[in-house]
Amino acid sequence: MAGEITLQQLMQTPVITRVVSRIKTPMTLFQSFFNMKPGQAANQNVSGRYVGWDIFDKTRLIAEGRAPGTGPSTVQRKAVGHVSSVAYRSFEKITLLHEEIFRTRPLGQQFGAVDVNGQNYITRQLEYMTQRFRNSREFMISRMLRGGFGIKQNGESWVPVEKGAGTFDVDYNLPAAHLDQLDLGTGSDIIDAGWQTASTDVVKHVLNINKAFERLQGRPLRHIWINSSTFELLLSNTSLQNVAGTAYRIFDSLTARAQTSEEGIPDSGFDVVFRGLPLQTFHIYDGVLNVDQNVDSDTVANSSLFIPDNYAIFMPDPSPDWIGYVNASEFVKENIMDNGKQVYGFHSWSTNVIDPAGMELKMIDNGLPVLYVPKCLAYGKVANF
């Protein structure tokens, strides 16, 4: 292709100022929000790749009364449910030949400096691979919030895609009433008018979703995720303005998130609390990932929003009692003399190769975000339907 050069030509450019990336490192906002980063509270290690959990619900039933002098009434045993799942397995490698990286200059440094073993280049390839695995986890979590994701089989590879676009789906069993215009079991759509209309009663919508959450699973609605295009619609909403009062601005607070990318670039999103809805926080997030790997995965045209235009994700406060991440395990041998060991979740190592001499950088990740209580989520189309 025009503009391409060989690795040796790249390393011999006489004047170098720095190493740049034309895009920032994608955020891991959902992993941070749900405490799903390695070592955080929502992670759980399990042996093997097959995981499940039992369901034993609390009750809202009332004990029966009995007349004096009579025996107890007989109550049926509480039914027990079970959910089974299989962890998602990512496994990738990059082959680096010593003859290509031996005695080349370090990336970003001037010609004349020599990185004898190519460690600078290897380090950057490790960072690149690690980011792919972080992105994979972030994709799965984000699509769990929308009901699931698809897997497209391509030979021995399984490519994560949008739900319905693959060979099979990983379905998180969000009830149909928790999608689209959010019936939520009430018998009619709660989102009965689009938010693009200024007169739509958004306050009523949010309060009714909160009311339905209490009936369905008992946790209050506290967080609403939208992108900036949907947020723009709310700024002119008359119901939010009327409750806030015409003498005041429509929101009580608008706060930039403190999280930054690995380069220190701030998140472009922010959190908003409206005066008319002081108990709910609106998270505005325009983050993207490149999902379809059948084309150049780093092209802007192939980027996909975590939260699409005109949609909103409603949920309670994050807690391991309704959402979490399972780190599954498998045995690996890192070299021919290794007896093997069980590793949980993400793991990386390198293997020497010969003829020609080089190394393989290998990374593996066994895990899956889990949704213990699907009724804690609602993924609604709130505008332009």
Side-chain angles (χ1 to χ4, degrees):
M1 294 177 61
E4 288 189 352
I5 59 176
T6 67
L7 180 62
Q8 292 301 321
Q9 289 172 323
L10 169 67
M11 295 304 182
Q12 293 171 6
T13 305
V15 179
I16 304 299
T17 58
R18 67 187 67 185
V19 180
V20 301
S21 172
R22 292 171 294 178
I23 60 173
K24 77 172 183 181
T25 303
M27 307 288 289
T28 54
L29 183 60
F30 287 125
Q31 292 174 67
S32 298
F33 181 77
F34 290 111
N35 294 314
M36 290 183 183
K37 284 188 172 182
Q40 290 187 320
N43 282 272
Q44 180 180 2
N45 289 348
V46 299
S47 182
R49 197 172 292 116
Y50 297 90
V51 299
W53 54 92
D54 295 327
I55 300 173
F56 193 88
D57 287 332
K58 307 295 183 183
T59 184
R60 292 172 176 167
L61 297 176
I62 301 171
E64 296 179 0
R66 300 286 283 179
T70 63
S73 61
T74 300
V75 178
Q76 295 295 322
R77 292 189 300 272
K78 184 69 175 178
V80 178
H82 182 79
V83 177
S84 298
S85 62
V86 181
Y88 178 73
R89 181 177 186 257
S90 299
F91 194 13
E92 293 186 332
K93 70 177 182 180
I94 288 180
T95 302
L96 301 175
L97 300 180
H98 288 315
E99 68 175 10
E100 293 181 347
I101 60 176
F102 179 69
R103 294 192 60 79
T104 54
R105 66 167 177 82
L107 284 171
Q109 297 188 24
Q110 298 296 340
F111 182 78
V114 177
D115 186 357
V116 176
N117 295 316
Q119 290 302 308
N120 181 282
Y121 184 77
I122 293 171
T123 298
R124 291 187 179 275
Q125 295 297 334
L126 282 169
E127 291 173 351
Y128 165 70
M129 287 189 70
T130 303
Q131 189 59 57
R132 289 172 62 92
F133 281 78
R134 289 198 192 114
N135 292 346
S136 178
R137 287 195 174 206
E138 194 74 359
F139 169 79
M140 290 191 293
I141 296 170
S142 69
R143 292 334 189 246
M144 172 183 63
L145 305 180
R146 293 158 55 173
F149 56 92
I151 298 292
K152 182 189 296 183
Q153 287 189 266
N154 183 14
E156 292 184 349
S157 296
W158 291 4
V159 182
V161 294
E162 302 294 354
K163 188 177 181 182
T167 308
F168 61 91
D169 286 331
V170 178
D171 195 329
Y172 282 89
N173 294 321
L174 262 67
H178 287 238
L179 303 171
D180 296 322
Q181 292 170 250
L182 307 185
D183 176 287
L184 298 185
T186 63
S188 60
D189 292 333
I190 291 177
I191 311 297
D192 56 2
W195 290 4
Q196 77 279 1
T197 303
S199 60
T200 297
D201 196 342
V202 173
V203 173
K204 182 186 75 171
H205 290 173
V206 173
L207 293 179
N208 283 341
I209 293 171
N210 182 67
K211 179 181 177 182
F213 270 23
E214 173 63 31
R215 180 176 53 81
L216 291 166
Q217 38 79 16
R219 300 167 182 84
L221 172 64
R222 288 291 182 260
H223 302 276
I224 303 170
W225 291 80
I226 56 177
N227 70 24
S228 58
S229 295
T230 307
F231 173 67
E232 182 183 0
L233 303 177
L234 296 177
L235 291 176
S236 59
N237 185 262
T238 54
S239 69
L240 288 170
Q241 186 64 73
N242 290 339
V243 177
T246 56
Y248 299 94
R249 65 187 182 188
I250 196 170
F251 53 84
D252 184 56
S253 65
L254 191 155
T255 309
R257 284 191 286 268
Q259 187 171 356
T260 62
S261 70
E262 291 186 352
E263 305 91 343
I265 302 173
D267 180 7
S268 62
F270 47 93
D271 299 328
V272 176
V273 176
F274 288 100
R275 289 184 181 274
L277 293 166
L279 297 181
Q280 284 77 33
T281 300
F282 285 75
H283 303 276
I284 289 75
Y285 188 37
D286 293 322
V288 297
L289 276 181
N290 297 64
V291 178
D292 188 353
Q293 297 182 14
N294 290 326
V295 297
D296 182 357
S297 61
D298 284 330
T299 59
V300 174
N302 195 40
S303 62
S304 177
L305 285 162
F306 282 118
I307 306 170
D309 291 345
N310 305 318
Y311 279 84
I313 304 170
F314 303 84
M315 66 184 67
D317 282 325
S319 171
D321 74 321
W322 69 269
I323 194 170
Y325 198 96
V326 170
N327 294 305
S329 71
E330 73 172 84
F331 277 84
V332 301
K333 295 186 64 173
E334 297 184 359
N335 57 68
I336 194 66
M337 301 300 294
D338 190 356
N339 290 325
K341 60 183 177 182
Q342 185 175 209
V343 297
Y344 294 87
F346 176 76
H347 183 71
S348 64
W349 71 100
S350 64
T351 302
N352 291 325
V353 296
I354 59 174
D355 299 330
M359 66 176 63
E360 291 179 340
L361 308 179
K362 298 179 179 179
M363 294 186 181
I364 194 168
D365 191 10
N366 285 283
L368 191 72
V370 291
L371 185 59
Y372 299 116
V373 186
K375 290 182 179 180
C376 282
L377 289 177
Y379 177 57
K381 187 166 188 179
V382 296
N384 296 315
F385 46 81

